[in-house]
Amino acid sequence: MPTLVHEFAWPDRVVIGTVGVPGSRTFYLQVRTGKQIVSIALEKQQSAQLAEKIDEILDQLLTLEGNPFSVPTGTPIELVDNDQLEAVEEQFRTGAMTLGWDPTTAQVVIEAYPIIDVDEDDEPIDANGGEVPEMLLVRMPVGAARAFAKRTREVVGAGRPACPLCGYPVDADGHVCTLPEV
């Protein structure tokens, strides 16, 4: 069965955002070109790792003599996107992701695949109940990638505050922590 590829070669918008309150947030990678919009759910840690790895790729490219891909050292102010997510219709929940670099277009490439379950015979079963397998393919220019990473770090960091004693997140309804034994 052919894979349905949600492909965005030069998207108008690529952001990580959340739905819900801190402690119960769902993270989404949302991509839009014109009226085509795709939102995929992912874990907070996947979001954080994605931002970190994008910055690592861009920082490595900066070290190339002459900066041939015009990689910005910081986030271009005109690319800052602090708007909320648009209407969210979850396409799938992300399992595996890959991140790469396409030197022919000077774009960071993200591929995201849905979570795949395995039945008792070790046969893969699509989490969509055996429907058409799908994936998300996003290509971002270097400036947009830098802005994406910055916003993602801010969204991830906007969760529950850390307890000053134990370091674990403090819930809105209170927090009881156990101090480590000395």
Side-chain angles (χ1 to χ4, degrees):
M1 182 176 319
T3 299
L4 172 62
V5 179
H6 305 283
E7 185 171 0
F8 293 85
W10 292 94
D12 298 331
R13 185 173 197 226
V14 182
V15 294
I16 293 285
T18 61
V19 173
V21 297
S24 298
R25 297 185 296 174
T26 301
F27 284 74
Y28 290 96
L29 168 58
Q30 189 172 77
V31 189
R32 177 180 49 79
T33 298
K35 293 184 180 191
Q36 179 190 11
I37 187 167
V38 171
S39 303
I40 60 171
L42 63 167
E43 296 297 325
K44 179 179 181 177
Q45 191 57 35
Q46 286 174 306
S47 303
Q49 281 289 112
L50 187 57
E52 181 182 324
K53 295 303 180 187
I54 285 174
D55 272 340
E56 283 180 18
I57 287 173
L58 296 176
D59 290 346
Q60 286 176 0
L61 291 168
L62 268 174
T63 65
L64 297 177
E65 189 175 328
N67 192 6
F69 301 110
S70 300
V71 177
T73 55
T75 302
I77 193 71
E78 67 275 9
L79 298 178
V80 171
D81 182 346
N82 292 322
D83 293 339
Q84 297 292 322
L85 292 174
E86 297 175 45
V88 175
E89 263 189 56
E90 184 177 311
Q91 194 67 38
F92 60 81
R93 178 158 288 282
T94 305
M97 296 180 80
T98 64
L99 183 63
W101 170 251
D102 184 348
T104 62
T105 61
Q107 290 178 307
V108 172
V109 181
I110 300 171
E111 294 179 355
Y113 302 88
I115 293 174
I116 302 292
D117 294 325
V118 177
D119 69 11
E120 54 275 349
D121 298 324
D122 290 331
E123 293 292 322
I125 300 172
D126 188 303
N128 296 327
E131 296 174 9
V132 175
E134 58 189 320
M135 69 171 287
L136 175 66
L137 173 61
V138 181
R139 297 172 174 276
M140 288 186 282
V142 292
R146 193 64 93 180
F148 173 88
K150 179 183 186 299
R151 174 191 167 117
T152 300
R153 284 191 309 278
E154 290 169 355
V155 168
V156 167
R160 297 173 287 171
C163 172
L165 298 175
C166 70
Y168 287 104
V170 176
D171 293 323
D173 58 344
H175 173 74
V176 177
C177 61
T178 305
L179 296 175
E181 293 182 25
V182 180

